[in-house]
Amino acid sequence: MILCASPPAIIPSRPRRLRHRTTTPSLPPHFRSPHRLLHRQLLASSSPPPLSRAQRRPRVGAQPAAMVFSVTKKETTPFDGQKPGTSGLRKKVTVFQQPHYLANFVQSTFNALPADQVKGATIVVSGDGRYFSKDAVQIITKMAAANGVRRVWVGQDTLLSTPAVSAIIRERIAADGSKATGAFILTASHNPGGPTEDFGIKYNMGNGGPAPESVTDKIFSNTKTITEYLISDDLPDVDVSALGVTTFTGPEGPFDVDVFDSATDYIKLMKTIFDFETIKKLLASPKFSFCFDGLHGVAGAYAKRMFVDELGASESSLLNCVPKEDFGGGHPDPNLTYAKELVERMGLGKSSSNVEPPEFGAAADGDADRNMVLGKRFFVTPSDSVAIIAANAVQSIPYFASGLKGVARSMPTSAALDVVAKNLNLKFFEVPTGWKFFGNLMDAGMCSVCGEESFGTGSDHIREKDGIWAVLAWLSILAYKNKDNLGGDKLVSVEDIVLQHWATYGRHYYTRYDYENVDAEAAKELMANLVKMQSSLTDVNKLIKEIQPNVSDVVSADEFEYKDPVDGSVSKHQGIRYLFGDGSRLVFRLSGTGSVGATIRIYIEQYENDSSKTGRESSDALSPLVDVALKLSKIQEYTGRSAPTVIT
C-alpha cells in the first residue's frame, strides 16, 4: 500500500552528495563487500530494481536534483522471542536474515519512542561491522526515511564503536544545530561474527545510554502485536564507504544521510579527558613498551589514529587491528581464553619464548566497549581494574581533578571497589548488570567511575562502557606514577601498581565460570533450586562444611533486587547471592548476552586483607570456594557439563 504516491515522472539522477576531503584511509575492499540477502528479500515483493550507478549519474554540466522517494506499508506478522536482553536483541545471522525479522524489530522500536524522537529527528545507525551490518544499515535507513526521520548519521563503512556512538549522540552537532536523539547500534558485542554466527541490535537514547527497561518493555510488547512496518523501497542504497552528505526528498520533506569519519569526534573527546602529552612521554620512553590487540573488531578503526598517530606508539605495537566481518574467525572477547595472541606476547601463554614481553598490553572486544589490561606476565582482573582506576583517578586524569562524584559496580563484580569507596569516603552504588543502571546515576550527577566484572569499565564522559578509555586511563596512571622516573633504572610497572593496591586495600581473589549454550530449562531449574535452598541457611552451612570444612559460614543469601535511587524503578531477579562471614561471596546468574540456549555464570570471590597472604596464586586461594560453588549448585547434575566453557 502506497501512503504517498510519487510525483510525476522525473529523470532519475544521482543523489546530491556534499563530499569532504579526508586523509583517512579506507578499509580494504574485502571488508566493504556488501551481503544483501535480506535487503533483496525485502525489496523483491513490491519495488523495481535499484538504479545502477550509471543510471543515477547526472549528465555533464547538469545540476543534480535530490532523489525523491515514497513510503510503503508492508504487511507482516510477529516473530517469537524478540525480547531485548541486557544489551539488545541478539540472534544468529540466519535468524536476522529472515524476511521482515529485522524490520519488525526496528518498527517496534520506532513505535515505542516518543513522536518527537522520530519525526524530524536525527538518529545514528552504525556498529561493529560484523557480518550483515551493511545490509542492516541500508534497511534501517530506508525505514527511518519512511518513518519521518530527518537525517541519519552513519560511521564510514558502517563502523562506530559502541562508546563512540554514545559520544556522537552526546557531542556531535549538525550544521543546523541539531543533535541526535538516539541510535541503532548494530553489534553482538563480544560474540563471534560471520554468516553462521551472531548479529545484534540495540537502541540507545538521547543521553547516549542503552534504552531503559520502560522502553525495551514497550519494544518487546510491540514485537508481539506488529502487523505492518514502513519502508521507502525506492530510496537507493547510500555509499557508506565515502564521506559526505546525501540528500533525498520524501513526503515529509528533506532526508539526509551523513557518512562521517568514525574516529575524529571520539579522539576529540578523549583529548578533553586525558593529558595526551604526558602519555606520549611515557610511550616515548625506551624502557616502556606497549601492545594493543583489536581482535579484528571495530577498535581497529581507532587504534592507529589514537595510539600511533596521536600518542606516538609504534605501529608494530598493534595486533589484529584491521576490522573484519567475521573478526578473523576469532572470538572477539578480550579475556585470557580468547585473546590468545596478546596473552602469548605478554608472557602469559603456555609456550615459552625468549622475547621480552611489553610492559603494558591491552585488548578490546568486537564493539570496543570491553577491555582487558595486562602487565608483563601479569593479568589485571576487571574488578581490580575499576578499583585501581577509581583510587588513582583524581591524581592521574585531568577530567577528575576536582574529585569523583561517586563510584558504582555491577552486583556480580568483586567488592574491590567497595573498599576503595569506603576508604576515600565516596558515594557507592551496587547495581544490576547492564550499563543503563549506571547511566541513571551519571545523569543525576551521582557517579563518575563505574565497572563490571565482564571486562567493562567506564566513566560519566559517555553512557556506555569504553574499552579504549580504560586503556588510556591505565596509561595515564602509569604516566603519573613514572612522571619523575622516566630516566630511572626501572619503571613503576602494572604489577607494582596492583601489588601496592592490594597492600593498601586488601585483595579480592576472583574468578568467573561460564557455562555457555546450556539447556535453558535445565538452567532455570538450577537457579530455582539455589533460591529454594536460601530458605534454610543452617542446612546450607551444614552442606558447605561437608564439602569444605574450612570455608566460612554463609551469613546471608538473597536474590538480588535493585531499587533505582533516581527514578524509583525496581529490577528483580538479578542474580542469586550467598554472602560469607569473611567477606567472600558466591553469585549465580543467567547471562542475557548469548544468542542460543542459556549461559550460567558463577562468580567466586575470596577476600583477603592480610598483606602476607595477598600474593598467593588465585587458583589456590579460590579452590575451596570453587569446590563449594560447583557442588552447592549441582552444576554438573543439571547441565551435564564437567567443566565450564570459559574461566576468567
Side-chain angles (χ1 to χ4, degrees), residues 87-225:
S87 296
L89 178 66
R90 295 180 185 175
K91 301 289 182 182
K92 293 297 182 185
V93 167
T94 51
V95 174
F96 273 98
Q97 286 176 327
Q98 297 175 90
H100 312 303
Y101 190 90
L102 174 63
N104 276 20
F105 187 82
V106 171
Q107 189 65 57
S108 295
T109 302
F110 281 136
N111 293 347
L113 297 171
D116 63 352
Q117 293 182 26
V118 180
K119 299 286 185 181
T122 298
I123 65 170
V124 185
V125 184
S126 287
D128 60 19
R130 66 180 54 237
Y131 188 92
F132 189 61
S133 292
K134 286 185 169 58
D135 297 304
V137 165
Q138 302 293 350
I139 292 165
I140 296 170
T141 298
K142 296 173 194 295
M143 293 186 66
N147 278 274
V149 171
R150 172 63 181 84
R151 64 178 60 81
V152 170
W153 289 344
V154 181
Q156 188 176 24
D157 292 302
T158 75
L159 293 175
L160 280 177
S161 71
T162 293
V165 172
S166 185
I168 292 299
I169 294 172
R170 296 174 62 81
E171 304 290 337
R172 195 168 195 259
I173 300 175
D176 64 356
S178 62
K179 298 180 70 174
T181 61
F184 285 100
I185 306 181
L186 308 177
T187 178
S189 188
H190 54 293
N191 294 7
T196 62
E197 296 295 350
D198 294 347
F199 187 78
I201 180 171
K202 70 172 183 173
Y203 194 80
N204 277 32
M205 305 298 287
N207 71 341
E213 289 184 339
S214 59
V215 174
T216 57
D217 286 347
K218 287 181 183 177
I219 295 172
F220 181 46
S221 178
N222 290 344
T223 67
K224 294 188 289 186
T225 60

Side-chain angles (χ1 to χ4, degrees), residues 171 265-276 397-400 461:
E171 304 290 337
D265 294 287
Y266 180 78
I267 291 173
K268 181 180 178 182
L269 176 61
M270 292 300 104
K271 285 184 173 181
T272 69
I273 298 171
F274 301 102
D275 184 342
F276 272 40
I397 302 172
Y399 181 80
F400 300 116
H461 67 290

Side-chain angles (χ1 to χ4, degrees), residues 288-307:
F288 188 80
S289 46
F290 167 80
C291 184
F292 178 80
D293 191 343
L295 295 176
H296 288 302
V298 73
Y302 303 84
K304 182 179 182 297
R305 297 273 295 280
M306 180 73 76
F307 298 122

Side-chain angles (χ1 to χ4, degrees), residues 331-398:
H331 193 142
D333 196 351
N335 58 45
L336 295 173
T337 299
Y338 294 124
K340 295 177 182 177
E341 188 173 352
L342 176 66
V343 168
E344 289 288 340
R345 182 173 288 199
M346 296 304 298
L348 289 167
K350 294 180 180 179
S351 63
S352 59
S353 172
N354 295 325
V355 178
E356 187 69 6
E359 288 293 323
F360 178 81
D365 71 333
D367 66 331
D369 63 350
R370 300 183 185 219
N371 73 94
M372 178 172 66
V373 170
L374 302 172
K376 181 187 297 185
R377 303 185 185 93
F378 191 85
F379 169 63
V380 183
T381 72
S383 297
D384 279 343
S385 182
V386 66
I388 291 168
I389 290 173
N392 292 277
V394 174
Q395 297 85 1
S396 305
I397 302 172

